[in-house]
Amino acid sequence: MSGKGKDSLLGNKIAAGLLTAGLIFWGANRIASIVVPDEAPKTPAIKITGLQTAAAPVAAAAAGLESIIPLIATGDVAKGAAFVQQQCAACHTLTPGGAAGVGPNLYGFMGTPMFSGSFAYSDAVKDKAKGNWNYDNINAWLAAPMSFAPGTGMSYAGIKNVQTRADVVAYLRTLAATPVPLPAADEIKAATAAAAPATPAAAGAPAAETEPSIDTLFATADIAKGKALVMQQCAACHTLAKGGAAGVGPNLYGIIGAKAFSAPGFSYSAAVKSKAGAAWTDDTLSAWLENPMGYAPGTMMAYPGIKNAQARANVIAYLNSNSDTPEKLP
Ligand code: HEC
Ligand code: HEC
């Protein structure tokens, strides 16, 4: 296996991946953040061994890698989703049956045999493919792929922050028909005990379980907050300005009142065709944005949804204002 051949193969894979994913437009500025990670590793690459054994938490702790196990249940799924969209989606598809890109499709991989999908894995990971993906080995892999499997085709620096890793894994586990169980109480106890400085930074309360109807929330909607969320979570795929070009998704100027999934020149997925044509209302938009993949299973909009009703009202109020003819919201 010559290094040179591998480089050009990777180059081809990247080109093909970007084309298939339709990410050309979006890729240009995102690739930079992949190739140049946001933070330099604080510690030199650690060689982690023995992770597939039952002693994994101990081995991980001994190598100085903080366990994510105590942080998964309270991990911020929305943050994890946003991070994955930004840093992983250029190489990985996330929807059921999604095509491989530069890397394998990631739907439902947790709990299944490691590096064993229908993908041409590098030799580097072949002898690491022992056992199933669990919270320990995914933690080690995502912290430092190139230390976990030197020579891996996943040229990604790794996620150094343990809370970010926990958020990402909390999101990744939801990408499955039946998500793997959250860590059990005794696993959490063991992992917490193994880590000297336990840091459950989990003060942020998860979204309320019972949410009021969105109609009652427009009165208190905060357009500036809605805009900020859109810039952070949607603008990577959608332009907002009048006449803006389509990106991964269609332009969103004047979307409320516009015919759903009907922007000229954009090729929508088959998944949304049956929902196309009716004018978007605050209610249909709310349903779509709460859970795109539930609203139109198989949609290309790889976005988990805005679960918090007030945040959704904020976003809809902003989208409504971003129009020549804003409508009167309830
Ligand atoms: C530059 C492209 C690239 C980026 C960015 C990237 N990956 Fe990967 N990923 C790969 C490749 C290629 C493989 C296959 C590894 C091999 O064959 O060596 C892989 C493998 C994986 C696997 C193993 C899947 C299996 O089939 O067992 C997981 C899990 C994974 N990546 C998650 C992530 C996550 C999460 C992120 C973002 C934090 C990410 N990757 C970022 C290219 C990438
Ligand atoms: C990863 C890229 C991506 C992200 C992130 C994303 N979208 Fe989308 N969006 C798409 C794609 C692709 C479609 C087209 C859906 C299809 O064809 O299945 C779409 C469709 C839509 C539509 C329907 C447009 C029409 O023409 O009727 C709306 C509205 C929308 N997105 C709003 C949002 C909002 C608001 C956010 C952030 C909260 C968001 N999207 C985040 C990719 C994305």
Side-chain angles (χ1 to χ4, degrees), residues 17-18 20 54 57 73 77 79 93-94 98 101 120 125 134 143 150 155 160 195 207 216 251 255 271 284 286 297 315:
L18 292 177
T20 30
V77 174
K79 271 197 191 157
T93 57
L94 304 161
V125 299
N134 59 37
S155 33
K160 303 306 163 205
T216 62
N251 171 264
I255 191 70
T284 54
S286 175
V315 163

Side-chain angles (χ1 to χ4, degrees), residues 22 31 58 88 127 157 160 170 173 190 199 203 235 237 243 251 264 270 278 288 305 326 329:
I31 293 297
V58 179
C88 323
D127 61 12
K160 303 306 163 205
R173 76 173 273 281
T199 51
C237 295
N251 171 264
W288 165 245
L329 294 172

Side-chain angles (χ1 to χ4, degrees), residues 13 24 26 40 63 93 107 138 141 148 195 198 228 259 292 324 327:
K13 279 188 175 177
I24 302 156
W26 174 71
T93 57
Y107 185 85
I138 189 68
W141 168 245
F148 187 92
K259 281 188 183 166
D324 283 345
E327 297 194 353

